[in-house]
Amino acid sequence: VEDCHATAQHYDWGAGAEIRVETALRTAGSRDQVELSVDEIGALDQFHVGGVKATQELAQMLAPSLHMRVLDVGSGLGGPARYLAQKFGCHVTGIDITEAYCRLASVLSERLGLHGQVEFRHGNAVQLPFSDNSFDAVWTQHASMNISDKRKFYREIARVLKRGGRFAMYDVALLGEGPILFPVPWAREVGESHLATAAQMQTTILQSGFSRVDWNEITETALQSLQSAIADIQAAGPRRLGLHLLLGSEFLDMLRNFLANLEQRRCGVFRGVFVRAT
Ligand SMILES: C[S@@+](CC[C@H](N)C(=O)[O-])C[C@H]1O[C@@H](n2cnc3c(N)ncnc32)[C@H](O)[C@@H]1O
């Protein structure tokens, strides 16, 4: 429980994320028009390295079909959930430990005209408030790094997923060339970060009742996209709708450290698809 409190505090910096985002939104697009473009909102609501492109690639690997029920664990501001719902016509439920993010995810979905197809609940990934076999597919991006009990995390995902259903993940893992440099976008200090090695992560997933469909390291791609995101911010300043609204003024240092950690192979980025064994 302490873990979760610290995590929510990290993501909702100064308990002010909601007000900062709502203020920025009032000046973005027009008042009640659905004029927020995916590009404009993507720097904020695709909260992982690689942005919407990383989501598109993982989505192609998962390829949910029409009317499927998909769960997004650690759904943040809901950009990935909205992308899946819009592109594939599935219904997506997001769950997140940061309450302000759940409310913002709903506000954004309403504004973008997708509120019928996505819903967001406040809750903990290691204690999912859903019954067994309730989803056709499960998705998670960049949430496991805050979760110390990985066994519980993947077991809960297996429990709520139907047999034969797919689990798609996109995460950061330790590579071992030295300790992580802090702060990073998911943690201000070592005690808030819970990275596993890629091998540990895979083993835990397989032991939770999954078989592997696909697994690859995409550190190089991630590194390049982070480099260009940092260069953009250095050239033009933070985007109107950017991560500083969530993480506060330290966000650029966090991105720079993340990049250094990838360059020095302290951590890497991995993508995988698994199927729940029948
Ligand atoms: C880096 S953000 C990624 C958000 C989203 N998946 C995306 O890619 O846009 C990590 C998210 O995981 C959530 N999270 C961390 N630990 C969690 C837990 N134990 N249960 C549910 N959500 C959690 C955080 O609140 C945060 O919204």
Side-chain angles (χ1 to χ4, degrees):
V1 177
E2 248 170 55
D3 243 27
C4 297
H5 189 63
T7 301
Q9 266 187 340
H10 166 82
Y11 284 106
D12 183 8
W13 180 73
E18 205 167 355
I19 193 120
R20 288 189 296 269
V21 172
E22 282 182 339
T23 305
L25 279 175
R26 249 175 256 131
T27 60
S30 69
R31 232 195 121 106
D32 24 45
Q33 274 291 315
V34 184
E35 279 179 15
L36 266 179
S37 70
V38 170
D39 182 52
E40 187 174 15
I41 193 72
L44 183 68
D45 76 352
Q46 298 281 342
F47 191 172
H48 49 257
V49 61
V52 71
K53 193 157 176 285
T55 293
Q56 286 164 346
E57 289 169 3
L58 189 66
Q60 269 171 21
M61 291 164 69
L62 183 69
S65 37
L66 198 69
H67 307 314
M68 267 192 175
R69 297 189 60 84
V70 180
L71 175 67
D72 181 356
V73 186
S75 44
L77 268 57
R82 283 186 292 276
Y83 175 82
L84 290 170
Q86 194 157 36
K87 170 88 182 168
F88 299 95
C90 51
H91 181 278
V92 187
T93 302
I95 182 147
D96 202 283
I97 200 75
T98 307
E99 204 166 358
Y101 283 16
C102 300
R103 287 192 296 263
L104 282 169
S106 297
V107 166
L108 286 167
S109 302
E110 181 113 2
R111 177 143 174 183
L112 293 161
L114 278 164
H115 52 287
Q117 267 179 275
V118 294
E119 63 185 291
F120 298 94
R121 286 183 62 168
H122 178 222
N124 193 341
V126 298
Q127 219 176 330
L128 293 172
F130 307 109
S131 45
D132 299 359
N133 310 311
S134 38
F135 294 95
D136 301 295
V138 181
W139 165 284
T140 190
Q141 292 171 298
H142 286 39
S144 80
M145 46 242 254
N146 291 115
I147 297 170
S148 56
D149 196 340
K150 304 264 189 271
R151 287 180 50 169
K152 256 197 183 154
F153 176 57
Y154 295 117
R155 279 197 186 163
E156 275 295 88
I157 289 173
R159 182 182 67 75
V160 302
L161 182 59
K162 290 180 186 163
R163 290 175 202 286
R166 287 183 164 215
F167 166 48
M169 51 79 63
Y170 177 56
D171 262 309
V172 177
L174 285 178
L175 290 181
E177 297 293 324
I180 299 297
L181 309 170
F182 291 95
V184 284
W186 66 93
R188 286 180 168 77
E189 52 189 69
V190 64
E192 298 171 356
S193 179
H194 301 285
L195 299 185
T197 67
Q200 283 164 346
M201 200 184 274
Q202 267 203 87
T203 305
T204 312
I205 295 172
L206 295 175
Q207 286 173 350
S208 306
F210 290 99
S211 319
R212 196 176 78 179
V213 176
D214 210 331
W215 176 265
N216 36 71
E217 178 175 355
I218 47 167
T219 305
E220 193 52 38
T221 314
L223 196 154
Q224 283 164 13
S225 106
L226 200 50
Q227 260 167 350
S228 84
I230 292 170
D232 284 351
I233 296 165
Q234 278 167 341
R239 306 262 293 242
R240 186 170 44 175
L241 296 173
L243 287 182
H244 59 289
L245 301 175
L246 308 178
L247 298 174
S249 55
E250 249 189 320
F251 89 105
L252 191 53
D253 285 336
M254 293 172 169
L255 294 182
R256 287 199 185 108
N257 283 334
F258 189 7
L259 178 60
N261 285 312
L262 294 176
E263 283 170 342
Q264 296 163 23
R265 294 193 66 76
R266 294 165 191 267
C267 63
V269 182
F270 294 82
R271 182 168 71 189
V273 175
F274 297 82
V275 60
R276 189 183 164 195
T278 48

